[in-house]
Amino acid sequence: MKAIYKRELKSYFDNVIGFVFIAILVAFTGIYFLAYNLAGGYPYFSYSLGSVLFIFMLAMPILTMKSFSDERKLKTDQLLLTSPVSISSIILGKYFAMVTVFAVPVCISFLCPIIIKANGTAFLVADFSTIFAFFLLGCVYIAIGMFISSLTESQIISAVGTFGILLVLYLWPSLIEFLPTTANGNIIGFIILLTALVFIIYSITKNWLISAVLEGIGLAAILITYIVNKDIFDNGLSKLLSNISLTAPFETFAYNQIFDIGGIIYYISIIAAFSFLTMQSLQKRRWS
Amino acid sequence: MIEVKDLVKKYGNHMAVNHLSFTVEKGQIYGFLGPNGAGKSTTMNIMTGYLGATSGEVLINGLNVLEEPEKAKKSIGYLPEIPPLYTDMTVYEYLSFVAELKKIPKKEKEESIEKVIDMVKLEDVEGRLIKNLSKGYKQRVGLAQAILGFPEIIILDEPTVGLDPKQIIEIRDLIKKLAKEHTIILSSHILSEVSAICDHIMIISHGKLVASDTPENLENLMSGQNTLQLSIKGDKEKVQKVLRSIKGVGALELLPTVEDGCVEINVTISDKTDIRENIFYECANNKLPIYTMKHNKVSLEDVFLELTESKQDAKEDNDILLSEGHIEEKEEVSEVSKEEKLDESNL
């Protein structure tokens, strides 16, 4: 793992990618810091960080796009996969290298609350914990980007795909508002969701019996719940889906100054889930 | 050392490797020979744990590559078809990265890198970026990577591709040198290469092992079809009549005359017995002086073509080593009978 970590990290700074990524994040953090805190006089740095989140969508794909797709294209994955290292340590090595690159702008941003402090009232604890949440959210995005990169041979597809997913995640809270509010509308939504899920299960297992049984059980459960208690379905979809919002825990940190332990656990589990998916995607490629 | 048991790899409906089984013994050079697309690279990729097999298993020193990958892979050095090089690193950096990947202890690391660089003759380019190297040098860096740490088994997929003739000879010598302490498996579609360096040849066609033996034995296998080329002074009809009377003589083929008054003739020997003496005495009795007698052994090339191509194709493209993998279904039949024949003679 150490060898891969070292090589990856070095490669980020041998290419311009590492520098470009750091430059973009530092520059935009600086701009928002200047606009909101220095010029606007707002004492919370976390507010600026909330806006930097938007820049994530552009910067993260640059960092993650080549992590696995490039290996596959240059066939260097053959070296990694035939050497006596486990797949998980390959993934962790690469992941930590990206996290390290990302840690550079995050560390620089620790200066901002201190600058505010030097010029008046600052809320150091709140700001520092927001920076921590910001870092974790970035790590989640890196894990997602890494997974997308492991799916394709092309860096471009990897970058665009990651951008698309991050954009959807960014817009998630607003998108949810478009969902139907009535019980009848929601039940249709749930059925569509269930069918999509069953379809995914089918495409993985290729077993129509299991899929059909699952679909049947799901449908029955939805219908029984609907007959027993119709009111649950009012706004049910948006309630369910807003729980998966990735930015919500960060916003609790940034705007409400609450240290959200649940949110941190949520972030860490998403990181673990996507690292696991990356592992599966690498494994799967060997069997197809 | 290596045991491959009933290996199958399917890509959709296409059988890339078709029930392949063989064992590899210590300290020899094995050659995988087969036309392009025969399944050589796929087999090597499965043996090294890069790909998973549809069914069957590979045991390296008794360890299953899929169940205990880290232990099993430790004893393998692999050079894939396309050398897996990080082009943004220098040669030395790259080799030191590979050394760390292979978990070579820190103390020995530098020494073994130096040794490998010396063996593959990379001193001149040690500090250069891999992306600026020529194809030949890249191939050598790939080879260096494979032998780094001196694993027991070294697997090389077409190691001499892209090298100039001088380099090819150097690499062959290197492989022979390595074979003293290592087991080497290499693949090639170039026959002369395989016959020059390998102790044991495995011919693969359509993902099946069609022959596995030493180069000499493979040639002997086909000795039923050996021919004698004779140049006899005398009358055409008489020569043919005399030759026909000898037991074991098969078809006669007249060749264009080279010397005046001499008959050039190709005699196919149908028996496996040596009939050269009989021919000599018979001709002498009939006052037919033999000017030359040459034993034309079936070359490895013929064996290869026999086993991998249809007979018709083989005759047409006798001069090329192989035709690029367009092998038709109909050969399956002839192949099967060949296999049986080989099995018998192996026994």
Side-chain angles (χ1 to χ4, degrees):
Chain A
M1 187 180 113
K2 215 176 116 202
I4 293 168
Y5 171 77
K6 263 165 45 190
R7 198 211 77 77
E8 282 293 307
L9 197 60
K10 193 172 170 299
S11 128
Y12 274 114
F13 293 104
D14 279 348
N15 288 323
V16 277
I17 287 183
F19 291 109
V20 168
F21 175 78
I22 292 171
I24 291 178
L25 273 190
V26 170
F28 278 94
T29 314
I31 289 171
Y32 283 116
F33 177 59
L34 178 75
Y36 292 145
N37 302 116
L38 295 185
Y42 193 72
Y44 284 105
F45 174 61
S46 41
Y47 192 71
S48 313
L49 274 185
S51 307
V52 177
L53 228 48
F54 177 73
I55 304 304
F56 262 11
M57 288 181 323
L58 303 167
M60 281 305 169
I62 299 178
L63 186 67
T64 60
M65 63 182 182
K66 78 180 195 66
S67 56
F68 280 99
S69 44
D70 214 30
E71 300 265 356
R72 203 167 159 191
K73 198 165 185 185
L74 296 172
K75 304 273 179 203
T76 44
D77 60 337
Q78 266 182 319
L79 172 68
L80 298 181
L81 292 172
T82 57
S83 59
V85 284
S86 62
I87 291 190
S88 53
S89 58
I90 295 174
I91 290 170
L92 289 181
K94 279 178 173 286
Y95 182 69
F96 285 130
M98 288 188 277
V99 167
T100 309
V101 177
F102 173 55
V104 174
V106 172
C107 285
I108 294 174
S109 69
F110 270 107
L111 288 174
C112 299
I114 296 170
I115 294 173
I116 299 174
K117 175 84 178 164
N119 292 290
T121 331
F123 301 89
L124 287 185
V125 179
D127 277 350
F128 285 157
S129 20
T130 310
I131 292 177
F132 174 65
F134 176 79
F135 175 66
L136 272 186
L137 182 57
C139 293
V140 171
Y141 286 178
I142 291 173
I144 295 173
M146 178 171 78
F147 171 63
I148 308 275
S149 176
S150 75
L151 294 176
T152 164
E153 249 178 66
S154 147
Q155 288 191 42
I156 310 266
I157 293 176
S158 155
V160 172
T162 311
F163 173 74
I165 288 191
L166 295 189
L167 185 65
V168 169
L169 287 174
Y170 182 78
L171 297 176
W172 193 262
S174 335
L175 285 177
I176 285 171
E177 285 168 20
F178 291 109
L179 290 171
T181 49
T182 63
N184 289 339
N186 271 293
I187 195 170
I188 295 171
F190 272 111
I191 291 172
I192 292 173
L193 214 60
L194 173 77
T195 314
L197 206 67
V198 168
F199 187 75
I200 291 170
I201 290 171
Y202 173 73
S203 63
I204 293 169
T205 60
K206 298 268 178 258
N207 187 334
W208 63 267
L209 189 70
I210 292 179
S211 317
V213 169
L214 281 176
E215 175 85 28
I217 293 173
L219 272 181
I222 290 173
L223 286 176
I224 291 169
T225 325
Y226 182 76
I227 293 162
V228 174
N229 189 351
K230 197 180 164 190
D231 296 337
I232 285 188
F233 283 98
D234 279 334
N235 276 324
L237 264 186
S238 33
K239 270 185 216 154
L240 182 77
L241 293 179
S242 63
N243 282 332
I244 4 180
S245 166
L246 270 183
T247 45
F250 171 77
E251 279 157 5
T252 331
F253 274 94
Y255 305 131
N256 306 334
Q257 281 84 45
I258 292 169
F259 197 90
D260 181 4
I261 290 180
I264 287 172
I265 293 170
Y266 177 54
Y267 281 164
I268 291 173
S269 23
I270 299 234
I271 292 170
F274 273 96
S275 307
F276 178 73
L277 282 177
T278 312
M279 208 160 111
Q280 294 309 306
S281 127
L282 287 186
Q283 287 278 22
K284 181 181 170 276
R285 208 189 295 156
R286 305 163 74 187
W287 298 99
S288 54
Chain B
M1 283 241 93
I2 303 182
E3 248 183 289
V4 172
K5 288 185 195 160
D6 207 23
L7 210 62
V8 176
K9 178 74 182 175
K10 279 186 195 166
Y11 290 113
N13 284 328
H14 173 67
M15 278 269 209
V17 176
N18 192 350
H19 298 283
L20 195 64
S21 304
F22 58 86
T23 48
V24 168
E25 303 298 334
K26 204 175 170 173
Q28 284 200 311
I29 309 181
Y30 284 78
F32 270 4
L33 192 63
N36 295 347
K40 301 182 300 264
S41 296
T42 312
T43 311
M44 289 189 152
N45 277 336
I46 296 172
M47 283 164 71
T48 51
Y50 177 62
L51 289 178
T54 311
S55 72
E57 58 177 2
V58 177
L59 300 177
I60 311 273
N61 287 333
L63 299 168
N64 191 316
V65 206
L66 292 170
E67 281 160 18
E68 292 169 278
E70 278 158 72
K71 273 190 206 162
K73 285 172 188 170
K74 252 194 172 162
S75 45
I76 301 182
Y78 180 38
L79 168 66
E81 210 170 359
I82 298 160
L85 306 173
Y86 289 101
T87 49
D88 55 353
M89 295 172 106
T90 66
V91 173
Y92 194 90
E93 276 172 358
Y94 173 72
L95 290 178
S96 113
F97 166 63
V98 176
E100 278 174 48
L101 267 190
K102 291 191 175 182
K103 296 175 183 152
I104 297 173
K106 266 209 173 126
K107 286 178 228 157
E108 300 159 32
K109 196 178 114 181
E110 218 158 293
E111 196 196 321
S112 65
I113 294 175
E114 291 298 338
K115 211 170 158 190
V116 164
I117 284 181
D118 180 55
M119 281 178 109
V120 217
K121 300 203 169 57
L122 283 170
E123 297 93 344
D124 304 341
V125 294
E126 217 179 287
R128 277 171 59 186
L129 285 179
I130 293 176
K131 67 176 151 203
N132 297 332
L133 297 181
S134 68
K135 173 92 173 76
Y137 269 119
K138 280 183 187 162
Q139 187 72 22
R140 284 204 253 175
V141 178
L143 190 64
Q145 165 273 121
I147 61 179
L148 189 62
F150 301 101
E152 290 169 68
I153 304 159
I154 296 172
I155 299 182
L156 308 169
D157 199 350
E158 312 210 342
T160 54
V161 163
L163 301 178
D164 63 41
K166 190 171 160 268
Q167 291 171 330
I168 290 181
I169 294 169
E170 283 173 11
I171 295 292
R172 278 186 197 167
D173 289 342
L174 175 65
I175 291 173
K176 278 184 193 160
K177 216 163 86 189
L178 284 168
K180 284 174 193 151
E181 288 160 37
H182 308 266
T183 308
I184 295 175
I185 304 173
L186 59 89
S187 81
S188 180
H189 58 252
I190 303 163
L191 207 114
S192 57
E193 182 168 292
V194 173
S195 57
I197 42 180
C198 296
D199 304 317
H200 198 105
I201 295 180
M202 294 188 243
I203 299 180
I204 295 179
S205 174
H206 296 243
K208 273 192 233 167
L209 193 64
V210 290
S212 165
D213 219 323
T214 59
E216 297 78 37
N217 281 351
L218 278 180
E219 281 167 11
N220 289 339
L221 278 182
M222 308 293 255
S223 59
Q225 284 177 15
N226 276 0
T227 57
L228 285 175
Q229 195 182 348
L230 293 164
S231 169
I232 302 170
K233 196 180 175 192
D235 179 55
K236 223 187 262 176
E237 268 81 56
K238 198 182 171 193
V239 168
Q240 282 182 308
K241 209 182 128 203
V242 169
L243 286 176
R244 282 229 171 80
S245 67
I246 303 165
K247 197 182 160 237
V249 168
L252 299 177
E253 187 191 353
L254 281 169
L255 302 171
T257 322
V258 184
E259 241 175 306
D260 266 350
C262 277
V263 186
E264 295 279 330
I265 197 161
N266 244 347
V267 181
T268 309
I269 306 163
S270 49
D271 270 351
K272 281 196 179 180
T273 47
D274 197 345
I275 56 165
R276 280 176 294 182
E277 267 182 45
N278 299 357
I279 291 177
F280 171 81
Y281 287 124
E282 202 59 36
C283 287
N285 287 343
N286 287 289
K287 300 263 177 308
L288 291 171
I290 298 172
Y291 277 34
T292 51
M293 179 178 333
K294 213 170 93 196
H295 194 196
N296 282 344
K297 261 194 168 181
V298 173
S299 69
L300 207 52
E301 208 164 288
D302 296 326
V303 180
F304 177 64
L305 288 168
E306 263 303 313
L307 292 171
T308 56
E309 317 248 323
S310 70
K311 276 183 186 166
Q312 217 175 1
D313 281 352
K315 263 176 200 156
E316 276 167 14
D317 325 338
N318 229 345
D319 49 338
I320 45 169
L321 293 181
L322 68 129
S323 65
E324 303 269 321
H326 37 69
I327 302 154
E328 282 121 21
E329 293 285 349
K330 61 182 177 196
E331 302 154 50
E332 293 282 338
V333 184
S334 72
E335 245 175 52
V336 171
S337 58
K338 278 280 135 48
E339 242 180 272
E340 281 164 5
K341 206 162 125 195
L342 289 175
D343 283 342
E344 276 166 29
S345 36
N346 272 335
L347 290 170

